Amino acid sequence: MVTSRDLFSLSGKRALITGASRGIGLTLARGLAEAGAEVVLNGRNAAALEAAQAELAKDGLAVKTAVFDVTDQADVKAGIERVEGSLGPLDIVINNAGIQRRGPLENFERADWDALITTNLNAVFFVGQAAAQHMIPRGRGKIINICSVQSELARPGIAPYTATKGAVKNLTRGMATDWARHGLQINGIAPGYFATEMNDALVKNAEFTDWLCKRTPAGRWGKVEELVGAAVFLSSDASSFVNGHVLMVDGGITVSV
């Protein structure tokens, strides 16, 4: 008999998390490892990954690392092959790597636009496709794409970022439409405003924080640990019939005016 505890257990599962040396990625790595998964941290900087690995080891969480550049399709394919060959089959992939560039749209630099598209959108396709090529023959697999409240809403100064996150939302739906028939579940998590390194300038801006707390029904910034439950749910058997869904974790900001 399968219990509710079994449904949410990640014991025996192997998860790759991109952009996992800090911030949301590292927090999700900790959460999945605590739920029983064998976690593989990905990033471009080997030293940063080793530091993250050591941080988790202090809490008794043994994780592996995989260094490859998610913006380079050939490197992604080779990196996924190495993980599958040396560590074993990937059951879960979380596409978390992302960047932000701010500026008025009428003066936005092409180089910044390209950087956003390459990191926030292309990488999700590259990693998702490379993982799916292994998952499809096995008839199972979970891919979770980190979307954003900006998948639904826009703010001044970040239109290109909003474009990438809107595209990730619909890419998630497209992946589910193509790959659900093969036994895969592809879903997204859309964080609202969380106190992360990427948002540090906004967190320190008293005027913005005041606006955000009044605009958000929950009345505060999110804590990155509050994303773990959603990630465990979408990584586990508890979400076996959930596909193409983007789970908003935003304190209610997208449901109120």
Side-chain angles (χ1 to χ4, degrees), residues 7-31:
L7 283 176
F8 288 91
S9 172
L10 300 182
S11 179
K13 305 293 185 181
R14 185 172 294 106
L16 173 75
I17 303 175
T18 71
S21 62
R22 61 182 183 176
I24 289 174
L26 181 56
T27 299
L28 295 184
R30 180 186 296 277

Side-chain angles (χ1 to χ4, degrees), residues 162-238:
T162 300
T164 64
K165 288 303 185 177
V168 171
K169 177 187 73 173
N170 271 342
L171 180 58
T172 300
R173 292 171 171 174
M175 286 177 169
T177 300
D178 279 10
W179 297 338
R181 72 193 73 177
H182 300 294
L184 278 59
Q185 287 92 50
I186 302 89
N187 294 290
I189 297 173
Y193 284 90
F194 280 73
T196 64
E197 285 186 38
M198 194 164 76
N199 286 330
D200 188 55
L202 295 178
V203 174
K204 293 176 179 176
N205 184 319
E207 182 180 357
F208 181 87
T209 293
D210 181 64
W211 169 85
L212 177 67
C213 291
K214 290 176 179 176
R215 174 68 180 80
T216 305
R220 61 176 174 84
W221 285 88
K223 303 171 186 176
V224 289
E225 295 80 8
E226 292 176 300
L227 294 167
V228 170
V232 170
F233 166 63
L234 292 176
S235 296
S236 72
D237 289 341

Side-chain angles (χ1 to χ4, degrees), residues 39-189:
V39 174
V40 183
L41 310 177
N42 163 259
R44 290 183 291 189
N45 187 317
L49 288 179
E50 289 169 6
Q53 184 181 39
E55 180 180 332
L56 295 177
K58 290 178 184 177
D59 296 324
L61 301 173
V63 302
K64 306 293 195 305
T65 63
V67 181
F68 60 85
D69 183 354
V70 294
T71 69
D72 181 326
Q73 189 171 23
D75 200 27
V76 168
K77 189 172 180 63
I80 296 289
E81 291 284 353
R82 286 195 301 272
V83 171
E84 288 262 343
S86 62
L87 301 179
L90 286 170
D91 303 287
I92 303 155
V93 168
I94 299 183
N95 275 309
N96 167 73
I99 61 172
Q100 174 66 288
R101 297 284 188 272
R102 295 182 172 89
L105 186 59
E106 64 272 19
N107 297 317
F108 206 80
E109 295 289 341
R110 170 65 188 271
D112 288 332
W113 172 271
D114 288 345
L116 284 166
I117 294 293
T118 298
T119 304
N120 293 359
L121 179 57
N122 288 354
V124 174
F125 167 64
F126 296 158
V127 174
Q129 183 188 61
Q133 287 171 350
H134 290 274
M135 293 174 171
I136 287 171
R138 294 194 287 262
R140 67 182 190 280
K142 303 269 194 176
I143 298 173
I144 301 167
N145 299 326
I146 302 301
C147 302
S148 170
V149 67
Q150 262 73 53
S151 296
E152 302 292 341
L153 302 175
R155 284 196 68 252
I158 57 169
Y161 177 84
T162 300
T164 64
K165 288 303 185 177
V168 171
K169 177 187 73 173
N170 271 342
L171 180 58
T172 300
R173 292 171 171 174
M175 286 177 169
T177 300
D178 279 10
W179 297 338
R181 72 193 73 177
H182 300 294
L184 278 59
Q185 287 92 50
I186 302 89
N187 294 290
I189 297 173

